[in-house]
Amino acid sequence: MVKRRRQEILIEMQKMIYLDHNATTPLSQKVIDQIPSILQAWGNPSSIHWSGREPKNLIRNARQVLATALKVSPLEIIFNSGASEGNSAVILGIYEIFKNSKNHFMCSQVEHPSVLKAFQHIEKLGARVDYIPVSRKGELDLNFFKKHISSNTALVSVMMANNETGNIFPIAELVKMTHAVGALFHSDCVQVLGKIPLNLSELNVDYATLSAHKFYSLKGTGALFVRKNSPYQKFIFGGGQERSRRGGTENTLGIASFGVMANLLDQVVFRQKELAQLRDHMEARILLEIDGVSLTGNQSARLPNTSSMVLRDIDGETLLMSLDLKGFAVSTGAACSSGSPEPSPVLLAMGLSRAEAQSSLRISLGWETNLGQIDFFINILKEVVLRLRNISQKTNMKELSLMREQSL
Ligand code: PLP
């Protein structure tokens, strides 16, 4: 009996283990269970006959639930295709509205590419953008912010939490200073949902972007919060959907699934504690059992699920691939572009060297992660790191003796 149970546990553990929740999350079973009934509501939510009623109700309900959880009005939520759309809509829209009066913008140096590239785009159109630096600890340079913000600033955009390090920025404080000069404030809150409580009313931001697939729902759906009376310029023309702020027949399945998860946002305080305990246990074991590991961003406020680290003498891409072969999904601070791994701009902006960024690993836990998975992961990580370091040592020795031979 005991032997069978042990075997079952081993089989269970050998399954794929997903530790990359900041990239995307698995679909919640709650969402999967609801999908068949949501699909029954196939009508066009704008139709006024019977087929439109159910999808319209589903969307209305999702909007209400999400708005209540975020402490805002349902009228302030625009459903869209995701956070990249939301970020572009705000940045390009505000540029367009203010281009003849205020042309200064600010964002942090560690924003997601959907924010950074939108700012680079408006720079080409004539905007002036200041990129706020972050320290090695992951803290925003508030002196830089105070020095550069002015009455000519149209919009400040700072993410609430960083996707790579999990570092949390002081949004409420930044909003106060931004509003004091008459500028607007946008925050990419994608990484926050489901990890720490999010109260948009308290933060007092003008705009916030969210993405359903980072919160156990479907890809291709997001929500943009636009505070009542904050200027907004629509860029998708069409029908009168989303109170004429975004044209296009609504994605009923995506929106209703997002609503299913929004119903669970009251669990966040409890989940936050659970995630932090697991993450802290994982980091403590890794630091104790693997040589040459240093954590990134751990000395500042962080999301409870995210751990970013540098592993000395380890190539992040090789580590990721080796772990993948063993069934683990994690992420590295280097992304392969055109054949050569490019170090993460976020880690470089924090002052890490190229070599450090290329030796980095991001582990991001989720609601379904458990202690057994974490302990199993660490055991394998130890083995893999040891093996890779041995290989690189042997390769270096070989290279060294080859060089010696050649110099003789
Ligand atoms: N902002 C942040 C911080 C993200 O992590 C992501 C996703 O990787 C996005 C924006 C883009 O979200 P979406 O995939 O919904 O466009």
Side-chain angles (χ1 to χ4, degrees):
M1 185 69 182
V2 174
K3 203 171 158 200
R4 221 177 103 202
R5 180 74 195 118
R6 202 177 293 146
Q7 247 172 357
E8 277 170 13
I9 292 174
L10 266 177
I11 291 168
E12 184 63 27
M13 281 182 161
Q14 275 160 11
K15 281 189 192 154
M16 307 302 195
I17 293 180
Y18 188 78
L19 299 172
D20 198 14
H21 292 78
N22 288 9
T24 195
T25 47
L27 266 188
S28 157
Q29 191 56 45
K30 291 234 159 36
V31 170
I32 296 172
D33 291 344
Q34 292 292 318
I35 286 177
S37 84
I38 301 172
L39 287 175
Q40 297 298 316
W42 49 263
N44 186 328
S46 300
S47 294
I48 48 175
H49 50 66
W50 58 267
S51 80
R53 267 172 231 138
E54 195 45 30
K56 188 186 239 130
N57 278 341
L58 286 171
I59 293 171
R60 185 187 298 133
N61 189 38
R63 196 187 308 280
Q64 181 66 55
V65 170
L66 186 62
T68 306
L70 302 174
K71 310 277 186 293
V72 297
S73 155
L75 304 181
E76 295 173 312
I77 301 284
I78 301 176
F79 284 118
N80 60 14
S81 72
S84 298
E85 178 184 325
N87 290 338
S88 285
V90 172
I91 296 160
L92 272 57
I94 296 304
Y95 170 74
E96 198 55 37
I97 295 169
F98 288 97
K99 65 183 176 194
N100 295 321
S101 52
K102 295 173 166 196
N103 82 333
H104 179 241
F105 292 77
M106 287 177 99
C107 74
S108 85
Q109 283 184 358
V110 294
E111 295 297 317
H112 186 263
S114 56
V115 168
L116 287 177
K117 289 184 183 173
F119 277 117
Q120 285 157 12
H121 177 73
I122 62 166
E123 266 185 306
K124 284 189 204 131
L125 301 177
R128 199 164 56 74
V129 184
D130 279 314
Y131 297 89
I132 312 162
V134 283
S135 69
R136 173 104 190 184
K137 278 167 117 186
E139 284 167 353
L140 208 65
D141 185 341
L142 290 180
N143 288 331
F144 180 99
F145 175 78
K146 288 178 198 160
K147 197 169 148 200
H148 289 82
I149 192 160
S150 75
S151 56
N152 188 34
T153 308
L155 177 77
V156 174
S157 177
V158 176
M159 65 198 334
M160 186 159 168
N162 185 267
N163 40 308
E164 293 196 33
T165 59
N167 284 131
I168 299 170
F169 297 122
I171 300 302
E173 193 186 337
L174 293 167
V175 171
K176 272 192 203 132
M177 292 189 272
T178 301
H179 285 168
V181 299
L184 297 158
F185 196 96
H186 163 250
S187 186
D188 175 338
C189 295
V190 165
Q191 290 296 339
V192 168
L193 221 52
K195 295 168 190 159
I196 54 171
L198 179 60
N199 181 332
L200 291 179
S201 167
E202 219 168 69
L203 289 179
N204 203 24
V205 294
D206 296 283
Y207 313 97
T209 33
L210 300 169
S211 179
H213 77 94
K214 306 280 184 180
F215 186 47
Y216 311 95
S217 344
L218 291 163
K219 286 156 191 70
T221 302
L224 171 63
F225 162 75
V226 178
R227 182 169 296 290
K228 188 177 171 215
N229 299 331
S230 295
Y232 183 72
Q233 166 124 349
K234 76 165 161 206
F235 78 109
I236 300 184
F237 295 87
Q241 292 92 350
E242 299 301 300
R243 296 175 76 83
S244 293
R245 291 167 298 182
R246 184 192 188 262
T249 305
E250 297 90 335
N251 173 359
T252 309
L253 179 62
I255 295 170
S257 304
F258 199 7
V260 171
M261 286 312 294
N263 250 318
L264 304 182
L265 276 167
D266 57 356
Q267 291 189 8
V268 167
V269 177
F270 157 73
R271 297 282 183 172
Q272 178 182 9
K273 272 197 200 127
E274 239 183 28
L275 284 169
Q277 273 171 2
L278 267 184
R279 194 262 320 267
D280 293 348
H281 164 80
M282 177 182 77
E283 288 185 342
R285 263 200 73 190
I286 291 179
L287 290 174
L288 193 72
E289 298 176 33
I290 306 179
D291 277 348
V293 178
S294 56
L295 301 174
T296 308
N298 62 316
Q299 286 163 1
S300 309
R302 270 191 305 169
L303 291 174
N305 79 315
T306 309
S307 184
S308 172
M309 61 192 71
V310 174
L311 295 108
R312 197 190 58 222
D313 300 332
I314 289 289
D315 175 62
E317 285 262 300
T318 315
L319 178 62
L320 186 145
M321 287 187 280
S322 307
L323 289 169
D324 181 24
L325 287 174
K326 304 244 174 216
F328 297 96
V330 290
S331 167
T332 172
C336 197
S337 79
S338 47
S340 71
E342 273 305 307
S344 141
V346 169
L347 299 180
L348 293 184
M350 286 173 70
L352 270 73
S353 67
R354 280 180 77 86
E356 283 175 313
Q358 273 165 333
S359 297
S360 72
L361 176 70
R362 178 189 74 184
I363 306 157
S364 47
L365 319 184
W367 284 13
E368 81 292 354
T369 310
N370 60 47
L371 187 61
Q373 291 178 329
I374 290 296
D375 281 334
F376 185 47
F377 168 69
I378 297 167
N379 295 343
I380 302 295
L381 180 69
K382 264 164 66 173
E383 256 177 55
V384 172
V385 168
L386 206 68
R387 187 167 52 78
L388 293 179
R389 281 186 178 151
N390 271 339
I391 294 172
S392 86
Q393 216 173 24
K394 277 187 195 145
T395 319
N396 285 345
M397 301 273 272
K398 256 192 202 158
E399 275 171 11
L400 210 68
S401 60
L402 212 71
M403 274 159 57
R404 280 208 191 105
E405 272 171 30
Q406 281 168 354
S407 67
L408 285 176

